[in-house]
Amino acid sequence: MEQNEALQLAVTFLARSQRDDEPPLAIDTERVRESNGLLIAPYNSVQYLASRDAREQLLDCWPILVDLERRDVRFGTLDERHLWRNPSA
């Protein structure tokens, strides 16, 4: 699957996952990358992404992972943190 298609899957997944009590969320397109057969799509609040002001950043936003071969889309887990902290792992 192409990266653009995978990114669109991540955007759709985030929109479907968003709760009513959360601020508007968006994919951090500047930090999306591919590693280990996964598209790693971090996200945060629209307000933070517009300003990059750390005071606006939401915590506990685990990246969305899209398996480029199987087209599976899900949130990353703590056990997988090495995938986005150390992309070569």
Side-chain angles (χ1 to χ4, degrees):
M1 162 182 354
E2 296 292 324
Q3 187 171 345
N4 287 342
E5 184 181 1
L7 181 57
Q8 188 55 48
L9 287 175
V11 168
T12 301
F13 179 81
L14 181 60
R16 288 183 181 159
S17 301
Q18 183 157 359
R19 298 185 325 252
D20 291 338
D21 62 342
E22 292 177 314
L25 303 173
I27 300 291
D28 186 350
T29 55
E30 292 178 17
R31 297 194 175 149
V32 170
R33 69 178 182 275
E34 214 176 297
S35 179
N36 299 311
L38 297 171
L39 181 81
I40 301 169
Y43 68 95
N44 213 292
S45 71
V46 170
Q47 187 172 359
Y48 167 73
L49 295 175
S51 69
R52 298 290 179 179
D53 182 341
R55 294 174 294 179
E56 304 294 336
Q57 186 175 19
L58 298 177
L59 304 177
D60 293 331
C61 292
W62 298 99
I64 296 169
L65 305 178
V66 181
D67 186 306
L68 297 171
E69 185 177 318
R70 296 184 316 210
R71 303 173 58 100
D72 291 335
V73 184
R74 61 188 172 75
F75 290 109
T77 65
L78 180 60
D79 294 337
E80 298 169 314
R81 190 169 184 222
H82 67 279
L83 295 174
W84 56 88
R85 289 290 181 198
N86 183 7
S88 61

mmCIF file of all heavy atoms in Angstrom, residues 48-72:
data_model
loop_
_atom_site.group_PDB
_atom_site.id
_atom_site.type_symbol
_atom_site.label_atom_id
_atom_site.label_comp_id
_atom_site.label_asym_id
_atom_site.label_seq_id
_atom_site.Cartn_x
_atom_site.Cartn_y
_atom_site.Cartn_z
ATOM 1 N N TYR A 48 -2.462 22.443 19.277
ATOM 2 C CA TYR A 48 -1.022 22.232 19.453
ATOM 3 C C TYR A 48 -0.300 22.188 18.114
ATOM 4 O O TYR A 48 0.760 22.792 17.946
ATOM 5 C CB TYR A 48 -0.751 20.941 20.234
ATOM 6 C CG TYR A 48 0.696 20.536 20.148
ATOM 7 C CD1 TYR A 48 1.674 21.241 20.847
ATOM 8 C CD2 TYR A 48 1.113 19.499 19.330
ATOM 9 C CE1 TYR A 48 3.016 20.908 20.750
ATOM 10 C CE2 TYR A 48 2.446 19.153 19.229
ATOM 11 C CZ TYR A 48 3.391 19.858 19.933
ATOM 12 O OH TYR A 48 4.720 19.527 19.821
ATOM 13 N N LEU A 49 -0.851 21.477 17.148
ATOM 14 C CA LEU A 49 -0.183 21.348 15.852
ATOM 15 C C LEU A 49 -0.045 22.688 15.143
ATOM 16 O O LEU A 49 0.911 22.910 14.409
ATOM 17 C CB LEU A 49 -0.916 20.335 14.974
ATOM 18 C CG LEU A 49 -0.892 18.893 15.504
ATOM 19 C CD1 LEU A 49 -1.755 17.998 14.628
ATOM 20 C CD2 LEU A 49 0.517 18.364 15.620
ATOM 21 N N ALA A 50 -0.978 23.599 15.392
ATOM 22 C CA ALA A 50 -0.901 24.924 14.781
ATOM 23 C C ALA A 50 0.168 25.792 15.434
ATOM 24 O O ALA A 50 0.837 26.578 14.761
ATOM 25 C CB ALA A 50 -2.255 25.620 14.860
ATOM 26 N N SER A 51 0.360 25.617 16.746
ATOM 27 C CA SER A 51 1.273 26.500 17.476
ATOM 28 C C SER A 51 2.599 25.847 17.852
ATOM 29 O O SER A 51 3.591 26.539 18.040
ATOM 30 C CB SER A 51 0.600 26.979 18.763
ATOM 31 O OG SER A 51 0.450 25.901 19.677
ATOM 32 N N ARG A 52 2.605 24.537 18.022
ATOM 33 C CA ARG A 52 3.755 23.775 18.551
ATOM 34 C C ARG A 52 4.151 24.285 19.938
ATOM 35 O O ARG A 52 5.281 24.124 20.374
ATOM 36 C CB ARG A 52 4.959 23.805 17.607
ATOM 37 C CG ARG A 52 4.714 23.182 16.265
ATOM 38 C CD ARG A 52 4.580 21.689 16.375
ATOM 39 N NE ARG A 52 4.318 21.135 15.031
ATOM 40 C CZ ARG A 52 4.178 19.868 14.792
ATOM 41 N NH1 ARG A 52 4.272 18.993 15.753
ATOM 42 N NH2 ARG A 52 3.926 19.453 13.577
ATOM 43 N N ASP A 53 3.191 24.890 20.626
ATOM 44 C CA ASP A 53 3.397 25.369 21.990
ATOM 45 C C ASP A 53 3.208 24.191 22.935
ATOM 46 O O ASP A 53 2.113 23.613 23.013
ATOM 47 C CB ASP A 53 2.388 26.479 22.311
ATOM 48 C CG ASP A 53 2.558 27.068 23.685
ATOM 49 O OD1 ASP A 53 3.189 26.440 24.564
ATOM 50 O OD2 ASP A 53 2.044 28.186 23.900
ATOM 51 N N ALA A 54 4.251 23.826 23.678
ATOM 52 C CA ALA A 54 4.213 22.651 24.552
ATOM 53 C C ALA A 54 3.076 22.718 25.575
ATOM 54 O O ALA A 54 2.578 21.680 26.014
ATOM 55 C CB ALA A 54 5.544 22.489 25.259
ATOM 56 N N ARG A 55 2.649 23.912 25.929
ATOM 57 C CA ARG A 55 1.542 24.051 26.885
ATOM 58 C C ARG A 55 0.213 23.575 26.297
ATOM 59 O O ARG A 55 -0.716 23.283 27.041
ATOM 60 C CB ARG A 55 1.418 25.498 27.343
ATOM 61 C CG ARG A 55 2.618 25.960 28.159
ATOM 62 C CD ARG A 55 2.541 27.410 28.461
ATOM 63 N NE ARG A 55 2.660 28.131 27.185
ATOM 64 C CZ ARG A 55 2.621 29.435 27.046
ATOM 65 N NH1 ARG A 55 2.439 30.194 28.093
ATOM 66 N NH2 ARG A 55 2.764 29.990 25.870
ATOM 67 N N GLU A 56 0.133 23.489 24.981
ATOM 68 C CA GLU A 56 -1.093 23.058 24.303
ATOM 69 C C GLU A 56 -1.081 21.569 23.958
ATOM 70 O O GLU A 56 -2.088 21.016 23.532
ATOM 71 C CB GLU A 56 -1.288 23.854 23.003
ATOM 72 C CG GLU A 56 -1.318 25.344 23.168
ATOM 73 C CD GLU A 56 -2.522 25.815 23.960
ATOM 74 O OE1 GLU A 56 -3.535 25.101 24.006
ATOM 75 O OE2 GLU A 56 -2.429 26.907 24.558
ATOM 76 N N GLN A 57 0.064 20.915 24.139
ATOM 77 C CA GLN A 57 0.222 19.523 23.725
ATOM 78 C C GLN A 57 -0.577 18.579 24.620
ATOM 79 O O GLN A 57 -0.549 18.681 25.834
ATOM 80 C CB GLN A 57 1.700 19.137 23.762
ATOM 81 C CG GLN A 57 1.976 17.766 23.210
ATOM 82 C CD GLN A 57 3.468 17.484 23.148
ATOM 83 O OE1 GLN A 57 4.265 18.145 23.817
ATOM 84 N NE2 GLN A 57 3.846 16.527 22.348
ATOM 85 N N LEU A 58 -1.289 17.654 23.990
ATOM 86 C CA LEU A 58 -1.981 16.615 24.734
ATOM 87 C C LEU A 58 -1.002 15.476 24.988
ATOM 88 O O LEU A 58 -0.195 15.130 24.125
ATOM 89 C CB LEU A 58 -3.173 16.080 23.930
ATOM 90 C CG LEU A 58 -4.265 17.082 23.599
ATOM 91 C CD1 LEU A 58 -5.336 16.401 22.746
ATOM 92 C CD2 LEU A 58 -4.878 17.673 24.846
ATOM 93 N N LEU A 59 -1.089 14.883 26.176
ATOM 94 C CA LEU A 59 -0.228 13.758 26.522
ATOM 95 C C LEU A 59 -0.979 12.453 26.256
ATOM 96 O O LEU A 59 -2.188 12.449 26.087
ATOM 97 C CB LEU A 59 0.184 13.859 27.986
ATOM 98 C CG LEU A 59 0.872 15.175 28.367
ATOM 99 C CD1 LEU A 59 1.170 15.201 29.853
ATOM 100 C CD2 LEU A 59 2.142 15.378 27.554
ATOM 101 N N ASP A 60 -0.259 11.369 26.222
ATOM 102 C CA ASP A 60 -0.844 10.040 26.005
ATOM 103 C C ASP A 60 -1.504 9.884 24.644
ATOM 104 O O ASP A 60 -2.512 9.202 24.509
ATOM 105 C CB ASP A 60 -1.843 9.678 27.112
ATOM 106 C CG ASP A 60 -1.176 9.492 28.451
ATOM 107 O OD1 ASP A 60 0.007 9.105 28.465
ATOM 108 O OD2 ASP A 60 -1.833 9.725 29.475
ATOM 109 N N CYS A 61 -0.955 10.503 23.643
ATOM 110 C CA CYS A 61 -1.429 10.322 22.271
ATOM 111 C C CYS A 61 -0.504 9.321 21.580
ATOM 112 O O CYS A 61 0.469 9.698 20.920
ATOM 113 C CB CYS A 61 -1.430 11.654 21.509
ATOM 114 S SG CYS A 61 -2.627 12.834 22.106
ATOM 115 N N TRP A 62 -0.774 8.040 21.772
ATOM 116 C CA TRP A 62 0.053 7.009 21.144
ATOM 117 C C TRP A 62 -0.160 7.059 19.645
ATOM 118 O O TRP A 62 -1.294 7.170 19.180
ATOM 119 C CB TRP A 62 -0.310 5.641 21.707
ATOM 120 C CG TRP A 62 -0.035 5.568 23.173
ATOM 121 C CD1 TRP A 62 -0.949 5.713 24.183
ATOM 122 C CD2 TRP A 62 1.238 5.394 23.797
ATOM 123 N NE1 TRP A 62 -0.310 5.625 25.401
ATOM 124 C CE2 TRP A 62 1.024 5.420 25.193
ATOM 125 C CE3 TRP A 62 2.522 5.205 23.313
ATOM 126 C CZ2 TRP A 62 2.059 5.276 26.108
ATOM 127 C CZ3 TRP A 62 3.549 5.052 24.225
ATOM 128 C CH2 TRP A 62 3.316 5.091 25.603
ATOM 129 N N PRO A 63 0.887 6.982 18.847
ATOM 130 C CA PRO A 63 0.742 7.096 17.395
ATOM 131 C C PRO A 63 -0.188 6.030 16.820
ATOM 132 O O PRO A 63 -0.367 4.958 17.391
ATOM 133 C CB PRO A 63 2.154 6.886 16.851
ATOM 134 C CG PRO A 63 3.067 7.011 18.004
ATOM 135 C CD PRO A 63 2.276 6.737 19.228
ATOM 136 N N ILE A 64 -0.739 6.349 15.686
ATOM 137 C CA ILE A 64 -1.530 5.382 14.927
ATOM 138 C C ILE A 64 -0.556 4.610 14.051
ATOM 139 O O ILE A 64 0.319 5.198 13.410
ATOM 140 C CB ILE A 64 -2.590 6.108 14.074
ATOM 141 C CG1 ILE A 64 -3.572 6.830 15.004
ATOM 142 C CG2 ILE A 64 -3.299 5.126 13.156
ATOM 143 C CD1 ILE A 64 -4.499 7.776 14.305
ATOM 144 N N LEU A 65 -0.696 3.298 14.053
ATOM 145 C CA LEU A 65 0.164 2.426 13.251
ATOM 146 C C LEU A 65 -0.664 1.786 12.154
ATOM 147 O O LEU A 65 -1.726 1.224 12.420
ATOM 148 C CB LEU A 65 0.790 1.337 14.124
ATOM 149 C CG LEU A 65 1.568 1.810 15.352
ATOM 150 C CD1 LEU A 65 2.091 0.606 16.135
ATOM 151 C CD2 LEU A 65 2.701 2.734 14.961
ATOM 152 N N VAL A 66 -0.179 1.889 10.929
ATOM 153 C CA VAL A 66 -0.850 1.266 9.788
ATOM 154 C C VAL A 66 0.110 0.238 9.204
ATOM 155 O O VAL A 66 1.214 0.587 8.772
ATOM 156 C CB VAL A 66 -1.225 2.306 8.704
ATOM 157 C CG1 VAL A 66 -1.946 1.623 7.544
ATOM 158 C CG2 VAL A 66 -2.070 3.427 9.283
ATOM 159 N N ASP A 67 -0.295 -1.024 9.222
ATOM 160 C CA ASP A 67 0.499 -2.089 8.621
ATOM 161 C C ASP A 67 0.358 -1.954 7.103
ATOM 162 O O ASP A 67 -0.745 -2.101 6.561
ATOM 163 C CB ASP A 67 0.011 -3.452 9.095
ATOM 164 C CG ASP A 67 0.882 -4.585 8.621
ATOM 165 O OD1 ASP A 67 1.100 -4.682 7.388
ATOM 166 O OD2 ASP A 67 1.324 -5.382 9.454
ATOM 167 N N LEU A 68 1.455 -1.667 6.428
ATOM 168 C CA LEU A 68 1.406 -1.368 4.995
ATOM 169 C C LEU A 68 1.108 -2.595 4.136
ATOM 170 O O LEU A 68 0.649 -2.455 3.009
ATOM 171 C CB LEU A 68 2.714 -0.714 4.554
ATOM 172 C CG LEU A 68 2.989 0.638 5.216
ATOM 173 C CD1 LEU A 68 4.396 1.109 4.896
ATOM 174 C CD2 LEU A 68 1.957 1.659 4.805
ATOM 175 N N GLU A 69 1.330 -3.767 4.660
ATOM 176 C CA GLU A 69 1.038 -4.985 3.904
ATOM 177 C C GLU A 69 -0.390 -5.468 4.150
ATOM 178 O O GLU A 69 -1.119 -5.775 3.215
ATOM 179 C CB GLU A 69 2.029 -6.082 4.282
ATOM 180 C CG GLU A 69 1.885 -7.344 3.449
ATOM 181 C CD GLU A 69 2.928 -8.372 3.805
ATOM 182 O OE1 GLU A 69 4.099 -7.995 3.991
ATOM 183 O OE2 GLU A 69 2.554 -9.551 3.915
ATOM 184 N N ARG A 70 -0.774 -5.510 5.416
ATOM 185 C CA ARG A 70 -2.099 -6.060 5.764
ATOM 186 C C ARG A 70 -3.207 -5.013 5.843
ATOM 187 O O ARG A 70 -4.370 -5.368 5.999
ATOM 188 C CB ARG A 70 -2.013 -6.798 7.092
ATOM 189 C CG ARG A 70 -1.112 -8.015 7.032
ATOM 190 C CD ARG A 70 -1.129 -8.754 8.332
ATOM 191 N NE ARG A 70 -1.021 -7.798 9.447
ATOM 192 C CZ ARG A 70 -0.464 -8.070 10.601
ATOM 193 N NH1 ARG A 70 0.022 -9.245 10.839
ATOM 194 N NH2 ARG A 70 -0.390 -7.153 11.548
ATOM 195 N N ARG A 71 -2.837 -3.725 5.837
ATOM 196 C CA ARG A 71 -3.802 -2.626 5.917
ATOM 197 C C ARG A 71 -4.502 -2.542 7.267
ATOM 198 O O ARG A 71 -5.574 -1.972 7.379
ATOM 199 C CB ARG A 71 -4.826 -2.707 4.788
ATOM 200 C CG ARG A 71 -4.218 -2.709 3.413
ATOM 201 C CD ARG A 71 -5.243 -2.966 2.332
ATOM 202 N NE ARG A 71 -6.306 -1.984 2.344
ATOM 203 C CZ ARG A 71 -6.387 -0.945 1.538
ATOM 204 N NH1 ARG A 71 -5.456 -0.754 0.637
ATOM 205 N NH2 ARG A 71 -7.396 -0.113 1.612
ATOM 206 N N ASP A 72 -3.900 -3.139 8.302
ATOM 207 C CA ASP A 72 -4.445 -3.037 9.653
ATOM 208 C C ASP A 72 -4.112 -1.663 10.216
ATOM 209 O O ASP A 72 -3.002 -1.169 10.035
ATOM 210 C CB ASP A 72 -3.837 -4.099 10.574
ATOM 211 C CG ASP A 72 -4.268 -5.508 10.226
ATOM 212 O OD1 ASP A 72 -5.339 -5.680 9.626
ATOM 213 O OD2 ASP A 72 -3.519 -6.440 10.563
#
